[in-house]
Each structure stands twice: as structure tokens, then as C-alpha cells.
Amino acid sequence: ETGVTQTPRHLVMGMTNKKSLKCEQHLGHNAMYWYKQSAKKPLELMFVYNFKEQTENNSVPSRFSPECPNSSHLFLHLHTLQPEDSALYLCASSQDPSIGSPLHFGNGTRLTVT
Amino acid sequence: AQTVTQSQPEMSVQEAETVTLSCTYDTSESNYYLFWYKQPPSRQMILVIRQEAYKQQNATENRFSVNFQKAAKSFSLKISDSQLGDTAMYFCAFIDLITQGGSEKLVFGKGTKLTVNP
């Protein structure tokens, strides 16, 4: 049990589909994150929510739309994706980023865009 | 912009031996934290060790220890008595504590693939 649960584990979607990734944390943390992990590249921070407020949008294309209904749940809504968006999408949470609290990660969703 | 560099894309070590993974970073800030994360084939990123920049003492966690050289902006990870279960990608990461109203960002290196051989 990681404390951070992501679903689905794998997702294959066409470029015209709409899908959502879900993340849930049971750790009582205040901040949640979406990262994109592509081969041969560093992890890319996409979005940060702190106390349910979006505090970071790291120049992410609008075809990715985050939603944080409460401090335990985080979604990433996907629509009209491109093949280059295929990657591992990691969700993470932390207690308090302002004091360097470590991130706790989920197992990720492996996304393939066909 | 803050950057993290891991100069060793791949390394291997024999079981029970010691290996050191290198990491350098670039920042103009003085207050920050450094981390090493491990990502085994199961894909889950697991925290290995954490270092606070204002502490001169090197962090240790069982068989894992760091050599933190603040002036050189170097943060290497030493794994002693390597075990087969240590086989994984290892990521060095850095977060600076921004005080100008921005959000704190954890910046990762590209990773080092470590293989422990029996």
C-alpha cells in the first residue's frame, strides 16, 4: 500500500478520445502533483495543487486539464492528445512543500496515444 | 533555472560491493533540500534519502549515505553492501524553497540505471 493510488494502470487512447486519470492519496497531505515521465528525459512537473488551489501550471498544453475537487483527489482530464503525449504519468503528494517535505508517488499510469 | 545533472546513465555493481552515484546541481538559492529517489521496475518512485542544505552532516539511511558538498554543488549517493533488490533507476532531485510567492518545485535529474549483479 503506497498511500497514493493511481488508476488506471495502463491506458490506450486514440487522438480523438477523452479520458481521465485519477489519483487518490490517503496520507493527509496538502499538496498534490502531476508529473510526466518520458524515456531519456527528466521528470517534467505539469501541475501543482496546494490546499486544493492550483499553484503551478508548467506551460502544459490545454489538452491536459487538471481538477482537484478536494485535498485527497486529483484528476487529469485528457482530450485530443498527440502521439508524443505517450508517457508514464505520475501523481505525487507531499505534506508541506514549503519545508521540503518529500514527495510520495503513485505507481503511475502508462499512457499510449495511437 | 535550477538544473540537476546525473552524469552516469548506467552503472553496475557486484552484489555486496559498494557503488557511488554522482549528482550535481545548479542553483543560486541557499535554502533548499536534496533527495535521492529509487524507481524499480514496478515503476513506483520511492524516497531513498533526504538532505537539508543548511545541515553540514551527511544524511544516512541504513546502507545508503550521501556525500554532500555544498560549495561544489555535489550530492552523491553511496550504496554499501549492494543487494539485488537495489537494481533500479535512481533519480537525484532538488527543491528550493522559493520565498517570492511561487510554488516550490522538485526538479529531477535524468536518472542513473543501476544493475546489481549476483
Side-chain angles (χ1 to χ4, degrees):
Chain A
E1 175 58 49
T2 68
V4 179
T5 304
Q6 287 186 246
T7 55
R9 193 161 171 81
H10 301 273
L11 178 62
V12 179
M13 59 186 290
M15 288 190 283
T16 57
N17 292 159
K18 289 185 179 181
K19 296 286 184 183
S20 296
L21 309 185
K22 179 182 177 182
C23 177
E24 186 174 359
Q25 59 100 358
H26 309 280
L27 301 168
H29 288 170
N30 298 314
M32 295 188 77
Y33 309 75
W34 281 116
Y35 279 88
K36 176 183 179 182
Q37 185 177 25
S38 306
K40 311 286 187 191
K41 295 174 69 175
L43 270 74
E44 300 171 55
L45 177 64
M46 299 176 73
F47 301 104
V48 181
Y49 279 82
N50 208 353
F51 290 96
K52 300 185 296 179
E53 299 295 324
Q54 186 181 128
T55 59
E56 187 73 26
N57 177 337
N58 205 25
S59 302
V60 180
S62 59
R63 57 186 184 268
F64 294 91
S65 174
E67 178 190 359
C68 188
N70 55 62
S71 58
S72 299
H73 293 85
L74 184 65
F75 296 89
L76 188 62
H77 304 299
L78 316 170
H79 66 96
T80 58
L81 294 191
Q82 304 298 311
E84 60 264 29
D85 296 324
S86 298
L88 180 67
Y89 288 84
L90 292 167
C91 174
S93 69
S94 70
Q95 177 60 42
D96 187 349
S98 68
I99 58 170
S101 297
L103 269 61
H104 294 251
F105 286 85
N107 283 332
T109 295
R110 173 70 65 188
L111 174 67
T112 303
V113 181
T114 61
Chain B
Q2 289 85 10
T3 58
V4 176
T5 302
Q6 293 180 249
S7 59
Q8 306 147 315
E10 293 192 40
M11 294 189 72
S12 62
V13 64
Q14 290 301 119
E15 195 175 7
E17 293 188 348
T18 295
V19 64
T20 299
L21 310 182
S22 65
C23 173
T24 57
Y25 58 94
D26 186 26
T27 182
S28 57
E29 303 294 330
S30 60
N31 191 17
Y32 52 87
Y33 291 81
L34 294 155
F35 305 84
W36 277 98
Y37 281 88
K38 166 186 176 181
Q39 188 179 37
S42 66
R43 302 185 331 206
Q44 191 201 351
M45 296 277 276
I46 303 166
L47 176 68
V48 174
I49 204 162
R50 172 177 177 259
Q51 174 80 42
E52 299 167 68
Y54 59 87
K55 287 190 176 180
Q56 295 196 354
Q57 185 176 6
N58 289 323
T60 63
E61 194 69 42
N62 299 319
R63 298 182 294 107
F64 299 88
S65 61
V66 298
N67 183 4
F68 175 46
Q69 302 290 328
K70 191 172 184 179
K73 296 181 182 175
S74 170
F75 183 61
S76 60
L77 175 70
K78 186 172 83 170
I79 306 174
S80 304
D81 186 25
S82 298
Q83 300 176 2
L84 297 178
D86 295 334
T87 293
M89 283 290 291
Y90 286 82
F91 293 93
C92 179
F94 159 95
I95 184 170
D96 74 63
L97 305 182
I98 301 169
T99 56
Q100 291 85 11
S103 63
E104 294 76 14
K105 302 180 187 181
L106 190 63
V107 179
F108 285 83
K110 290 186 178 182
T112 295
K113 183 179 180 181
L114 176 67
T115 302
V116 180
N117 298 310

